[in-house]
Amino acid sequence: MAEHIAVLSNPSAGKGRGAHASEAALAHLRSRGADVRAYAGESAAASRALVGRALEERPRVLVVVGGDGTLSGVLDAVCDAGVPVVLVPAGTGNDLARALALPRRDPVAAAELALTGVPRTIDVGEVQTAGRVDLFLTIAALGFDAKVSDRTNRLRWPHGVLRYYLALVVELVRLRPMDFTVALEGADPARVPGTLVAVGNTASYGGGMPLCAGATADDGMLDIVHVAPLTRLRLLRLFPLLLRGAHLTRPEVTRRRARTVTVSAPGLVVYADGERIAEDECTIGIRRSALTILVPSDAGAPR
């Protein structure tokens, strides 16, 4: 195997932070004497095409500069190739980096892991629906939170975080319980109306919201969190607890663990790693130890 390092970047990730992070990562690796080959794609489709080219040249390490969605978009190829990955976080949420105690604000420190990091093998989630399979790294969101993400993506005004807040208000006004049907590991389906269902490979999404608090990426299990039907006021009261990961003790919140779960509901939308990937019905599973990622030797609590 060649000793070069491949760097795949998404310059548009994180509202342009990807370009700065890529420049910093490349400059650092080259200053350390590494043989680096760079690949930059401005879209998910371009990244998928470029990662195939990068992996054909058999790098020692693949450095991915971008957000959780950038890495999850090329997981099929990366997992099949078995090449260790370094993630230089440059997205808006960076929840995988948070889960694995990767440097989230220092692209140089993150890129250094291509030279000094230690391997950690983690699980990868998969969503099967309508004849296709999509992989994800953090949390698959189904319900109110997914609808907020969907509304945010469809709004053209305002810009930035205000667009998310407007989407949140719109979906609060439209809030209705969803008629979920859930089946764990092939058991008989159960009708469980609710506000949302979240299926976690890791603990947080949305830039640190620990909806699946306690989930870890290397235990071979999914954490399934169900929130019962709530009024607008009760949902707003739950949010502060959710932000602290203290919601799991509430009677309207239940958590179960399984290797697979099938979820359906009229109007269901599924988001994972910030991307819309399914609707109406899906089966979510886990690929045990599917990805090797390089982490700091002293990785402990999330940074």
Side-chain angles (χ1 to χ4, degrees):
M1 181 178 292
E3 285 300 306
H4 76 275
I5 296 171
V7 177
L8 175 70
S9 62
N10 178 0
S12 62
K15 299 179 176 61
R17 286 191 292 272
H20 167 73
S22 176
E23 292 172 2
L26 288 167
H28 175 70
L29 291 172
R30 285 169 175 155
S31 73
R32 295 269 276 129
D35 178 6
V36 179
R37 303 179 193 179
Y39 308 82
E42 295 286 350
S43 67
S47 293
R48 284 191 292 271
L50 288 170
V51 78
R53 188 189 313 168
L55 293 173
E56 284 176 359
E57 298 182 0
R58 298 181 60 78
R60 180 177 62 82
V61 177
L62 174 68
V63 177
V64 177
V65 184
D68 296 334
T70 302
L71 178 54
S72 64
V74 299
L75 275 177
D76 271 324
V78 173
C79 291
D80 287 346
V83 174
V85 169
V86 166
L87 178 62
V88 177
T92 55
N94 300 320
D95 287 283
L96 182 66
R98 182 177 281 101
L100 301 181
L102 304 178
R104 289 185 285 121
R105 300 176 183 86
D106 187 346
V108 169
E112 173 66 20
L113 297 175
L115 304 172
T116 61
V118 297
R120 178 176 175 183
T121 303
I122 65 170
D123 307 328
V124 170
E126 63 174 23
V127 179
Q128 300 180 36
T129 183
R132 58 179 282 182
V133 177
D134 291 277
L135 304 182
F136 70 96
L137 295 158
T138 59
I139 294 177
L142 308 88
F144 176 79
D145 45 356
K147 288 186 175 184
V148 172
S149 295
D150 209 41
R151 177 75 58 179
T152 302
N153 289 343
R154 287 187 280 125
L155 290 173
R156 293 294 173 262
W157 180 93
H159 299 292
V161 70
L162 291 178
R163 184 168 61 173
Y164 175 82
Y165 290 142
L166 177 59
L168 181 63
V169 171
V170 171
E171 291 304 323
L172 271 173
V173 170
R174 296 167 56 90
L175 180 66
R176 299 290 186 277
M178 295 194 66
D179 192 16
F180 291 113
T181 298
V182 177
L184 297 179
E185 298 195 1
D188 291 338
R191 181 174 170 268
V192 285
T195 301
L196 63 86
V197 172
V199 182
N201 182 44
T202 62
S204 72
Y205 67 171
M209 190 177 296
L211 188 57
C212 296
T216 58
D218 55 4
D219 61 357
M221 301 292 286
L222 297 166
D223 283 50
I224 300 106
V225 174
H226 172 265
V227 178
L230 299 176
T231 64
R232 297 179 186 90
L233 182 58
R234 288 182 67 194
L235 180 56
L236 287 172
R237 287 175 174 171
L238 184 65
F239 265 106
L241 297 177
L242 196 156
L243 292 172
R244 302 197 306 268
H247 58 292
L248 296 178
T249 61
R250 297 293 302 168
E252 61 267 39
V253 180
T254 59
R255 177 176 63 176
R256 301 178 69 182
R257 306 182 77 234
R259 287 178 290 272
T260 63
V261 58
T262 299
V263 183
S264 64
L268 180 71
V269 176
V270 184
Y271 268 74
D273 295 342
E275 306 294 329
R276 178 173 175 153
I277 59 175
E279 56 189 32
D280 298 329
E281 180 176 1
C282 66
T283 296
I284 303 175
I286 196 85
R287 295 187 182 181
R288 186 75 187 266
S289 303
L291 178 68
T292 298
I293 192 159
L294 299 183
V295 303
S297 60
D298 59 348
R303 300 179 184 179

